[in-house]
Amino acid sequence: MEPQTETPPGSLPGTLLRGLRGFAAYFRGVLGADAYRKYLEHHEACGHSAAPMSERQFWRDRMDRQDSNPQGRCC
Amino acid sequence: MGTQPNARGTESAQSHVLELDPELPPPAVDDAVREAEERRWTPGKIALWVVISLLGAVAWFMVALVRGETVNAIWFVFAAVCTYLIGYRFYSKVIERYLLKPDDRRATPAEYKADGKDYVRTDRNVLFGHHFAAIAGAGPLVGPIIAAQMGYLPGTIWIIIGVVLAGAVQDYLVMFFSMRRGGRSLGQMAREELGVIGGTAALIATLLIMIIIVAILALVVVNALGESPWGVFSVGMTIPIALFMGVYLRFIRPGKVMEVSIIGFVLLMAAIIGGGMVAGTEWGASFFHLDKTTIAWGIIIYGFIAAILPVWLLLAPRDYLSTFMKIGVIVMLAVAIIVVRPEITVPAFSEFAGRDNGPVFSGALFPFLFVTIACGALSGFHALISSGTTPKLVEKERQTRFIGYGGMLMESFVAIMALVAAISIDRGIYFAMNAPLALTGGTVESAAQWVNSLGLANVNITPGVLAQTASDVGEESIISRSGGAPTLAVGLAHIMQQFIGGPGMMAFWYHFAIMFEALFILTAVDAGTRVARFMLQDSIGNFIPKFKEASWRPGAWLCTAVMVGAWGAVLLMGVTDPLGGINTLFPLFGIANQLLAAIALAVCMAIAAKQGSFKFLWIAGAPLAFAAVVTITASFHKIFSPLPAVGYFANNAAFAKALADGKTSFGTAKTEAAMEAVVRNTMVQGVLSVIFVVLSIIVIIAAVVATVKAFRDGGGRNHEDAPRPSRVFAPSGLFPTAAERELAAAWEKVPAAKRFDRPGHH
C-alpha cells in the first residue's frame, strides 16, 4: 500500500501528494483493483513452476469464477 | 472422533501444538507484553478516555434529556461516536479476551489456504473498507427514516446501544467463528453445530428471508421511481453504464478497475444532470413517466436477466460503481452534517410513540421500532457476508475485532446520519411523504389537510410548501413517496445545498441521493438473487444431483426463475397493495432480517458453548434473547393481533367479512378488486410470518439444545480447522501499538523468500 515513488519529505506539496497517493492506493484496495498484483505476488512467493496468468486471463478467470461462486451484497 | 472438551486455557494449550518456525520472528506479540501494554493506563490515556466519556455523556444529555425548541444535529454525532469508541475499546475487548481468545500464532485461512484468488491476505484497513462496502447498503438509510415516525429518540437509542451490544457482536462472532472454520458459510456452520433439523430449518429460513429482503428493497426503489421521469431516466441509465464498464474491463483494458470506476462515476453524474434535462422536455416527461406497477415489472424482468447474465457484464461493474459511490457518499454526508450542523425540530417522542396505528408503519413502539430499524442496529443479513467472504481475506486473527465489530459500528454511524438527514426536514413534509396514498389523497391540498388534522405539535403545513418542496427537488409531487428513500433524498438535498451549491442544486442532490440508493439496492437485488439461486440449486441438488452443476443452464435458469418469481410476487403484492405496501410490508422485512440475526446468534451461542466458554455465553445469549423476544413478539402481533391495522389475519378476516357482506368498498380499498387484493395479500403475508417464526423457533431450540448438551458434557465437538503455525505478522487495530511496531520492524528484516511455506500447488 506504500506509494510507488518517494517525494522529498517535509515539503507541503510532497506531503499532500503522498497523502493523495496513499488514499488512491487505499481506494484501489477497497475496490479490489489490486487483485492481479496480489495474485502475482502470491504466485511468486509460492514458487510455481508454471508461468502466471496474464492480466487479461486473470480477470477473465476471476469474473468467471464469480459466476459460479456469487458473493452476497447486503441491504 | 469423539467429543473434544475444549475448556479454558485453550490459548496456552494451542501454543504447544503449534510449532513455530524458529528462524522467523514470532508471528504474534508475546501475550505477556501485549497484556502489560493493554493494562498500562498512562495519564494521557486516562485523560483521553475521560474526555471521550464526558463528551459522550454531555451529548446524550443534550439529545435525550434537554427539552428545548430544537437540538443541534452535532450532538447526535458526538453521542454516537463517543459511545462507539467506548464500546469498541471496552466491550469488544471483553469479547476478544474472554470469549473468542484469538491467537495470532495461528495462521488464518488467507494464509494456510492462500491461492492468490479467493484466499488472499488483505491489509486490515483495506479489508475494513471492503467489508464495510459489502455490509452497508440501503438498509441503514431507509429503516431509521421510517422509524422517525415515533420521534428521534427511540431510534437513536436503539441504533447506538443496539449496535454496541448486539449488531456488532453478531458480526464479530460470526466472522471469527467462520474464520476459524476456513471461511465456512453460516448455513454450513448451522448444519455442523445444530444437526440436520436445525441446519435444514436455518437453510430454508435463510432462503425465504432473502426473498423477502430482496422484494422489499425492490419495493423501496419502485416507490422512489414511480411517477418520477427524472429518477427513472437516471437510474435506468446505470444499466447501459454498467454494461459499458463491463465490456471495457473485459475487452478494452482488463484490470483497470479504478480507471473504469472513475469513467463510470462521471457518466453517472452526467446521467443525473441529463435526467433533469430529459424530464424537462415534453417527450421525456411522458416517456419516462411510469406508474409503479410498470416499474415493478421492469425490475422483475431486469432481475431475471441480470441474474443469468455473466457476472463480468453487469454485476461486477455495477458493484464497482456501487462501492465507489458508497464510500464517497458516506464521507460526503458526514462532512456535510458536521459542517452544516442542522437544527432538529422533531420531538424526541412523537405523538405516535405511544400508539400502534401510525401512518408510516403500524404497530406499537415495542416491538415494532426494533424491527423497523434492523440494519444499523442488528442485521442478520450481515451474518451471510461476515461468514464466507471476508474471513477468507483476514490476515491475522486479532484483526477480526477491528473489521467485524468496527465495520458494523461504521454502518451504525451511517444509520445515525440518515436519521439526522430525515429529521432535519419539516415534520409536516415527513408525514405527507411517508403516509400511504389512501390517507393523503395524493394532492397537495388533501395531503396538507390530512397532515394538519393529525394534531401534531408545531405542525401546520400549507399546500404551497408541499408544492414548493416538490418543485425544489425537481419532482411533480412528493405526496406519498413512501419507503424512506425519497425522504432521505429530500433531507440530504436540504443539508447538501447548504454545503454546496445553494437552493438551485437541490434537485441535483435529491436525484443524486435517489440514484445511489437505487444503485445500492439494485446491486443487492442482483447479488441476492444469485446467492439465493445457488442455495436453491444446492438444495435441490441433494435430490437431483444434476442441479448442483452450476454450469447446467436449464437448472440455473429454472432456479433463477423460481427465485425471481418469488420475490417478484411479493414486490407486486406490495406495489398494488391498497393499504400502501411499505406500511404493511416493512415490518415483515425487519422481522425477517432480525430472525436471521437470531439464527446467527443462536449458532454462535452453540459454538461458544461447545468451546466450554459458559461463563461468557451471555455475550451471544443476551442479544439472542433480545432479538428472539422482539421478533417473535412482533411475529405474534402480526399473526394474532385482533387489530386489523396490525394483524395480518385480523385484516384478512375484516376484508373477507366485508366482501361476504356484499360491500364494494371497505377502509382504504375503494373497489371490490382492491378488497380481494387485500384478502390475498394479508393471507400471503400472514402465512409467511408463520413460516418464518416457526423455522426460527426450530433453529433457536436446536441451538439451546446443543448449548445445554455442551453444558452437561463440559464442552462439545470442535469443528475448527486444525491450527497451523502462522508465518506472517501484521498489527491488529487501526493504529499499531509500540510492541506491534517493534515486531513489524523485525519482520521487515526477514527476506521475502523465507517468509512463506511453499505449499505444493497442483
Side-chain angles (χ1 to χ4, degrees), chain B residues 124 149 229 310 347 385 417 424 435 485 531 757:
Chain B
R124 64 195 185 283
Q149 147 170 279
I385 316 286
M417 289 193 298
S424 68
V531 172
D757 266 330

Side-chain angles (χ1 to χ4, degrees), chain B residues 476-557:
Chain B
E476 277 167 44
S477 161
I478 53 160
I479 309 302
S480 291
R481 292 288 172 96
S482 59
T487 312
L488 173 66
V490 169
L492 187 118
H494 178 72
I495 292 174
M496 284 307 294
Q497 59 92 3
Q498 297 176 52
F499 181 46
I500 302 173
M505 282 281 277
M506 267 188 87
F508 173 82
W509 288 120
Y510 175 88
H511 288 93
F512 178 80
I514 294 289
M515 159 74 93
F516 71 68
E517 287 176 286
L519 198 59
F520 298 169
I521 290 178
L522 292 178
T523 309
V525 167
D526 287 4
T529 307
R530 259 174 209 275
V531 172
R533 181 250 282 185
F534 274 90
M535 284 166 69
L536 184 65
Q537 265 185 277
D538 219 43
S539 311
I540 299 177
N542 288 329
F543 307 101
I544 310 168
K546 186 88 179 145
F547 271 87
K548 285 214 179 187
E549 290 169 26
S551 55
W552 188 50
R553 293 268 156 207
W557 289 21

Side-chain angles (χ1 to χ4, degrees), chain B residues 363-409:
Chain B
L365 194 147
F366 182 86
F368 287 100
L369 178 98
F370 300 95
V371 294
T372 302
I373 303 179
C375 307
L378 171 62
S379 171
F381 221 92
H382 292 188
L384 302 181
I385 316 286
S386 298
S387 64
T389 314
T390 307
K392 293 176 185 161
L393 304 171
V394 178
E395 196 167 18
K396 299 298 288 178
E397 291 203 340
R398 284 190 174 275
Q399 293 173 353
T400 46
R401 183 173 76 101
F402 172 56
I403 297 162
Y405 196 94
M408 180 60 194
L409 291 181

Side-chain angles (χ1 to χ4, degrees), chain A residues 26-27 29-31 33 38 42 48 53 55-56 59-61 63-68 70-75, chain B residues 114-115 117-118 121 125-126 130 134-135 137-139 250-251 255 311 316 319-320 324 375 381-382 385 534 761:
Chain A
Y26 176 76
F27 212 89
V30 171
L31 277 176
K38 301 190 80 166
H42 166 82
H48 285 283
M53 287 187 270
E55 191 167 11
R56 188 175 286 259
W59 285 100
R60 268 180 189 249
D61 172 70
M63 294 292 166
D64 295 345
R65 273 181 312 112
Q66 274 182 31
D67 264 330
S68 50
Q71 295 181 355
R73 272 288 179 267
C74 202
C75 37
Chain B
D115 63 359
K117 294 168 184 172
D118 294 322
R121 285 184 300 114
N125 294 321
V126 169
H130 191 84
I135 61 171
R250 184 87 168 181
F251 301 109
V311 165
D319 200 28
Y320 289 133
F324 199 91
C375 307
F381 221 92
H382 292 188
I385 316 286
F534 274 90
H761 278 264

